[in-house]
């Protein structure tokens, strides 16, 4: 099944995820996975984040808006990753210190 076949063309024909689930008789999670797979194949599926739904578009304004939204999300995730990595390194350092301390105590 190609999820793109069930998604409207143009913003005025946007399809909500709930409607997509009904059309293809799949769970929300499976529909999201199908959309993700289609995007990985190069399908341009727009979701402007306003609740209008998903749609196919070749309009440069839609493409630009989707690009910017995706870029913002990616940067936000990378910022979170920086702090997660820092915490992990701190925890690893604490574990090493604890191991060294235990080794000294056992001597």
């Amino acid at each position: 099944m190609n999820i793109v076949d069930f998604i409207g063309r143009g913003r005025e024909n946007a399809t909500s995820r709930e409607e997509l689930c009904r059309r293809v008789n799949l769970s929300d999670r499976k529909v999201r996975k199908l959309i993700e797979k289609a995007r990985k194949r190069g399908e341009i599926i727009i979701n402007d984040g306003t609740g209008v739904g998903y749609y196919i578009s070749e309009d440069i304004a839609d493409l630009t808006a989707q690009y910017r939204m995706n870029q913002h999300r990616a940067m936000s995730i990378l910022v979170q990753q920086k702090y997660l990595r820092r915490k992990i390194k701190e925890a690893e350092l604490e574990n090493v210190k604890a191991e060294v301390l235990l080794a000294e105590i056992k001597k």
Side-chain angles (χ1 to χ4, degrees), residues 69-81:
M69 188 171 71
N70 290 353
Q71 189 173 36
H72 178 74
R73 279 189 189 142
M75 294 307 293
S76 179
I77 289 169
L78 287 175
V79 167
Q80 292 174 46
Q81 291 294 84

Side-chain angles (χ1 to χ4, degrees), residues 38-78:
R39 285 175 167 163
K40 286 181 178 178
R41 288 192 315 267
E43 299 286 354
I44 305 296
I45 301 172
I46 305 294
N47 178 8
D48 64 12
T50 64
V52 108
Y54 295 94
Y55 59 99
I56 307 299
S57 179
E58 293 183 15
D59 181 275
I60 192 68
D62 290 338
L63 300 177
T64 302
Q66 186 70 48
Y67 178 85
R68 287 184 178 144
M69 188 171 71
N70 290 353
Q71 189 173 36
H72 178 74
R73 279 189 189 142
M75 294 307 293
S76 179
I77 289 169
L78 287 175

